[in-house]
Every structure is written in structure tokens, then in C-alpha cells.
Amino acid sequence: MKVRPILVLLTITSVSLFSACKKNLEDPLSTSSNVEVCGIKDPVNNLKWLSDKMKVYTFGDNADKLNGVVLFEYKGENVIEIQCSICSSTNTHQYRCDGTLYDFSNSNSFQDFLISRKKISLLYGTEIWK
């Protein structure tokens, strides 16, 4: 009766794999950084506006490979940049702590941001726009 121990092992393995996959699907931001930003620890999950935006972009098994949140310092302020594979890499994804967009509509101001910014930390996923 070697079949029974194999079935038990297979069942346990299947349940473990299913539980792990289910957790990732329910909580794709579980790999976010525990860095304190804007006075908030783990901002990707605990800054409501950022968490809400990331829930739109992060789904599936490779969410952390296709998306990123990068913290920059620019002119003495925190800039939270959402980088996602379905987003443009232009000047429309840089936010203040309160969730308002920086106005980089002028190409010169965006170029200044790109040149002058200082990367502080990768808060989530992969930095896809270098």
C-alpha cells in the first residue's frame, strides 16, 4: 500500500501550493518595502491613495516584475513615482505625499526632474524606468 502515503503527500503539497498562490492573488503588495515615507511606514500599503492606485496595476503572478514604486528626493521633497508596465514613462506618475501629481507638463521641468532627482529607495517591485 505505497499509494496511500503518496496520495497524502500529494494532497499536502497541493494544499500548500494553493494557499501560497491564493495569498499572492489576494495581496499582491505583500512584497512592498517597510521604509517610512511621508511619516508612514510601508507606504505602498498604508498610504491610501498609493495603495488604491497600486491595486489597479498589480495583479497576477508577476506583478512585482511588471510594476514598481520608487521614492525620489527632488528639491527637498519626497516624490513617489509609480512605474507600471501599462503606463507611459512620461511625466504623469510622480506624486507628493498627499497624492497630488507633480506638474511636469512643461518638458523642461520634467527634464530638470530627471537630471536633479535623487533615488532614495525602491518601495515596491522592479524599477522599470531607469
Side-chain angles (χ1 to χ4, degrees):
M1 285 271 142
K2 292 182 180 183
V3 174
R4 187 164 192 215
I6 292 173
L7 286 175
V8 169
L9 183 60
L10 183 61
T11 302
I12 291 171
T13 303
S14 297
V15 169
S16 297
L17 288 173
F18 176 73
S19 297
C21 291
K22 186 177 178 186
K23 181 179 184 226
N24 287 340
L25 290 175
E26 289 176 357
D27 188 12
L29 303 179
S30 62
T31 59
S32 65
S33 168
N34 209 19
V35 172
E36 187 171 316
V37 180
C38 307
I40 304 290
K41 200 164 209 156
D42 188 12
V44 174
N45 287 300
N46 296 324
L47 273 176
K48 181 164 177 20
W49 67 265
L50 181 56
S51 177
D52 290 347
K53 287 187 183 303
M54 290 308 293
K55 286 175 185 169
V56 172
Y57 300 127
T58 54
F59 52 87
D61 293 337
N62 293 317
D64 61 333
K65 307 276 188 287
L66 301 173
N67 303 284
V69 177
V70 183
L71 175 65
F72 293 100
E73 182 181 308
Y74 176 66
K75 294 186 176 181
E77 292 186 294
N78 286 326
V79 178
I80 299 169
E81 183 173 85
I82 298 174
Q83 302 181 356
C84 63
S85 59
I86 60 171
C87 302
S88 167
S89 63
T90 59
N91 53 351
T92 58
H93 300 284
Q94 296 79 22
Y95 297 87
R96 291 182 171 80
C97 286
D98 66 1
T100 58
L101 272 170
Y102 276 86
D103 181 13
F104 291 130
S105 56
N106 176 319
S107 64
N108 290 335
S109 64
F110 186 61
Q111 288 304 315
D112 183 59
F113 168 71
L114 292 176
I115 293 167
S116 305
R117 69 186 180 179
K118 177 184 173 193
K119 180 180 170 186
I120 304 299
S121 180
L122 178 64
L123 301 177
Y124 171 80
T126 304
E127 185 177 3
I128 58 176
W129 307 333
K130 302 279 178 174

